[in-house]
């Protein structure tokens, strides 16, 4: 207990409150002492204990004084505890509740629970050692003992400093926000140009477009990605930029648009694409063969298995097809109830 010093309990500049817990009693080693009901605060720099009834009774120990900590489970009639092992008190230590102690550790008894989370957060602070990277002002040395006038002065100065720092941080955030806005506007222009470029690249590939129109005017985003990057040569396009650009196709009144199926599959389709014709074509093909799997349908119509499955699922959703999902796989049949009615 001789490692504790009196404090006002105010947080210093660069010091941040991590967690606090009511109903904590302090033991000097195994000995019960008068500090039996208080609030224990953990900051990035200190352990602070404040009496719940007399708030002027407040003391702290720097985290740098802690050697290691361990848990002590609750027992019959006993609260769970955290055992804090401490370095010897420095010779220039400020005034505290005890000037000497035979014990090299204290116990923190949690009467109102909360010890598990407190132990976890304290362990994190001991590992991160943030007090070394964020030194606080020397006012730790000036707010000890029963000197209310002095404490008040330090508190006001601290508040003024924090307000000034907050104002500077706000100004910095505003400046960064305007910079980000400018970057966003530049990025938006790039996306518009990229969307137009994608449409033009696909238009230039007349053979591919003609083939895709035969397939119903639809192409998976994977195929589009390969097609565009093949046309761009060394200036490859990222998948994220492609998706963002395709989302703008319809807004820019281009002849293509992005579509997302219920399964999450994303495709690019012509604005002239007609869903009813695509479903009717799928129904006709399945009716001719009696039944088809996605793979069989893809071979017959000359498209990827992914798009073939989406077309069959769409026809099923509209009631024109029905399925048989067995160990042999997913097979689609004409819906005779619809055709006969």
């Amino acid at each position: 207990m001789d490692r504790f010093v009196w404090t006002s309990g105010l947080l210093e500049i660069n010091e941040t409150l991590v967690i606090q817990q009511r109903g904590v009693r302090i033991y000097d080693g195994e000995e019960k002492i008068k500090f039996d009901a208080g609030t224990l605060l953990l900051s990035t720099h200190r352990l602070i204990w404040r009496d719940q009834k007399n708030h002027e009774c407040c003391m702290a120990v720097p985290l740098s004084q802690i050697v290691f900590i361990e848990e002590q489970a609750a027992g019959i009639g006993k609260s769970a505890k955290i055992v804090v092992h401490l370095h010897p008190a420095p010779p220039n230590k400020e005034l505290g509740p005890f000037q000497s102690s035979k014990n090299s550790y204290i116990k923190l008894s949690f009467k109102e629970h909360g010890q598990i989370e407190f132990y976890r957060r304290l362990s994190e602070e001991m590992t991160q050692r943030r007090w070394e990277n964020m030194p606080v002002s020397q006012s730790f040395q000036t707010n000890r003992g029963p000197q209310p006038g002095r404490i008040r002065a330090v508190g006001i100065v601290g508040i003024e400093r924090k307000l000034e720092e907050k104002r500077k941080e706000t100004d910095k955030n505003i400046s960064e926000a305007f910079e980000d806005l400018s970057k966003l506007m530049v990025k938006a222009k790039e996306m518009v140009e990229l969307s137009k470029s994608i449409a033009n690249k696909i238009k230039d590939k007349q053979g591919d477009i003609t083939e895709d129109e035969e397939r119903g005017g639809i192409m998976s985003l994977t195929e589009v990605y390969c097609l565009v990057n093949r046309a761009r040569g060394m200036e490859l396009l990222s998948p994220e930029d492609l998706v963002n650009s395709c989302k703008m196709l319809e807004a820019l009144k281009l002849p293509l648009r992005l579509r997302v199926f219920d399964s999450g599959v994303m495709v690019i389709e012509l604005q002239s694409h007609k869903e009813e014709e695509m479903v009717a074509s799928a129904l006709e093909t399945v009716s001719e063969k009696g039944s088809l799997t996605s793979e069989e349908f893809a071979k017959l119509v000359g498209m990827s298995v992914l798009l073939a499955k989406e077309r069959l699922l769409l026809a099923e959703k509209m009631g024109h097809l029905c399925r048989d999902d067995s160990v042999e796989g997913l097979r689609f049949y004409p819906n005779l109830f619809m055709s006969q009615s």
Side-chain angles (χ1 to χ4, degrees), residues 202-203 205-219 223 227 230 270 298-299 301-304 307 311:
I202 296 177
K203 275 184 181 180
K205 296 288 181 178
Q206 291 297 329
D208 292 339
I209 289 295
T210 302
E211 181 185 348
D212 193 62
E213 285 174 346
E214 291 174 359
R215 290 183 282 172
I218 190 170
M219 185 183 293
E223 293 174 301
L227 177 65
R230 194 182 306 129
L270 298 171
K299 289 180 182 179
V301 298
M303 65 168 57
S304 66
L307 288 180
R311 185 175 291 191

Side-chain angles (χ1 to χ4, degrees), residues 279-313:
V279 171
S281 173
L283 174 60
E284 182 180 354
T285 305
V286 174
S287 299
E288 287 177 359
K289 297 296 180 180
S291 67
L292 288 173
T293 63
S294 302
E295 293 78 6
E296 293 169 346
F297 182 69
K299 289 180 182 179
L300 288 173
V301 298
M303 65 168 57
S304 66
V305 176
L306 182 67
L307 288 180
K309 184 177 180 180
E310 291 299 331
R311 185 175 291 191
L312 292 172
L313 289 172

Side-chain angles (χ1 to χ4, degrees), residues 199 203 249 252-257 269-272:
K203 275 184 181 180
L249 289 171
L252 295 171
K253 302 187 184 302
L254 295 171
L256 304 170
R257 66 186 172 204
E269 62 182 15
L270 298 171
Q271 291 282 6
S272 58

Side-chain angles (χ1 to χ4, degrees), residues 30-286:
E30 301 295 331
E31 301 173 15
K32 288 185 179 180
I33 51 179
K34 61 181 179 179
F35 306 113
D36 60 348
T39 300
L40 185 64
L41 300 93
L42 170 65
S43 76
T44 51
H45 295 70
R46 296 179 293 172
L47 266 179
I48 305 171
W49 186 91
R50 180 187 290 117
D51 194 291
Q52 290 177 191
K53 295 180 180 179
N54 180 15
H55 287 182
E56 292 183 0
C57 179
C58 188
M59 55 187 176
V61 61
L63 296 185
S64 58
Q65 281 288 100
I66 298 176
V67 181
F68 69 95
I69 59 174
E70 56 183 329
E71 289 182 288
Q72 191 174 90
I76 300 175
K78 294 184 178 181
S79 304
K81 298 177 179 64
I82 296 176
V83 183
V84 182
H85 296 265
L86 301 165
H87 289 292
N92 60 343
K93 186 184 79 72
E94 296 291 319
L95 292 176
F98 291 83
Q99 290 309 302
S100 63
S101 174
K102 63 180 182 180
N103 299 303
S104 61
Y105 65 94
I106 60 169
K107 288 187 177 183
L108 305 172
S109 176
F110 291 76
K111 300 178 182 179
E112 299 179 14
H113 306 291
Q115 75 282 352
I116 296 176
E117 180 64 13
F118 202 98
Y119 180 84
R120 185 182 71 82
R121 302 298 289 272
L122 179 55
S123 299
E124 289 177 356
E125 292 303 319
M126 294 302 299
T127 302
Q128 296 173 10
R129 304 178 70 86
R130 288 195 284 177
W131 66 84
E132 295 179 348
N133 301 323
M134 298 184 297
V136 298
S137 65
Q138 296 302 314
S139 54
F140 274 169
Q141 306 300 325
T142 61
N143 58 4
R144 311 280 194 247
Q147 303 175 20
R150 200 175 196 182
I151 292 171
R152 182 173 179 81
V154 172
I156 291 173
V157 172
I159 291 171
E160 288 176 347
R161 287 177 182 170
K162 287 181 180 179
L163 289 173
E164 178 64 20
E165 283 194 351
K166 190 172 183 180
R167 183 188 65 78
K168 289 180 180 178
E169 184 179 356
T170 302
D171 291 344
K172 181 182 177 183
N173 290 338
I174 291 173
S175 299
E176 290 178 353
F178 276 112
E179 289 178 7
D180 292 341
L181 183 60
S182 300
K183 292 177 183 177
L184 183 61
M185 292 174 68
V186 172
K187 192 70 175 177
K189 291 179 182 178
E190 292 177 1
M191 288 295 104
V192 171
E193 293 300 323
L194 192 54
S195 300
K196 292 180 179 178
S197 173
I198 290 172
N200 292 333
K201 294 292 183 185
I202 296 177
K203 275 184 181 180
D204 292 341
K205 296 288 181 178
Q206 291 297 329
D208 292 339
I209 289 295
T210 302
E211 181 185 348
D212 193 62
E213 285 174 346
E214 291 174 359
R215 290 183 282 172
I218 190 170
M219 185 183 293
S220 72
L221 208 59
T222 306
E223 293 174 301
V224 174
Y225 178 76
C226 296
L227 177 65
V228 172
N229 274 333
R230 194 182 306 129
R232 288 174 66 91
M234 298 297 292
E235 298 178 2
L236 299 181
L237 186 67
S238 70
E240 183 181 359
D241 284 343
L242 176 66
V243 173
N244 291 333
S245 301
C246 290
K247 288 177 180 178
M248 301 175 68
L249 289 171
E250 198 165 6
L252 295 171
K253 302 187 184 302
L254 295 171
L256 304 170
R257 66 186 172 204
L258 177 68
R259 176 175 179 178
V260 183
F261 285 103
D262 294 340
S263 62
V265 173
M266 304 174 77
V267 298
I268 296 295
E269 62 182 15
L270 298 171
Q271 291 282 6
S272 58
H273 165 73
K274 294 182 180 178
E275 197 171 81
E276 294 78 10
E277 294 179 1
M278 182 179 71
V279 171
S281 173
L283 174 60
E284 182 180 354
T285 305
V286 174

